[in-house]
Amino acid sequence: MADRYVTKHPRGWAVQAPGGERASSVHTTQKAAEQAAKQTVRNLGGGEVRIQGRDGRWRDSDTVAPGNDPCPPKDKKY
């Protein structure tokens, strides 16, 4: 799977691969980083994008097609 994380970075928000030491890209806003992560995952064949909040906790996650979500969301958010 081509999962990516959106994490806090000293220069804004970073897109990282799980277990990666360096950021794939750094963005000034969390929204821009989230969009870049989703585009990367989409281009790599689908997977999970996890978003970290300012407090360091995971605040959201999204499965990007054609990823296989074992627990599909019941809400209509996505």
Side-chain angles (χ1 to χ4, degrees):
M1 279 259 209
D3 297 344
R4 291 295 182 267
Y5 296 158
V6 175
T7 59
K8 188 73 175 130
H9 187 273
R11 293 183 298 159
W13 294 90
V15 176
Q16 287 185 286
E21 294 181 20
R22 293 178 30 173
S24 303
S25 60
V26 178
H27 305 269
T28 55
T29 65
Q30 188 180 44
K31 183 175 183 176
E34 183 179 347
Q35 290 172 342
K38 287 180 180 180
Q39 186 62 46
T40 299
V41 170
R42 191 173 296 114
N43 291 342
L44 294 173
E48 190 79 17
V49 174
R50 294 189 71 193
I51 301 129
Q52 189 179 50
R54 291 181 190 164
D55 60 0
R57 292 183 179 187
W58 296 113
R59 70 166 186 85
D60 200 6
S61 66
D62 189 16
T63 301
V64 177
N68 183 16
D69 192 351
C71 300
K74 294 179 183 173
D75 64 2
K76 302 298 180 197
K77 183 177 177 183
Y78 299 107

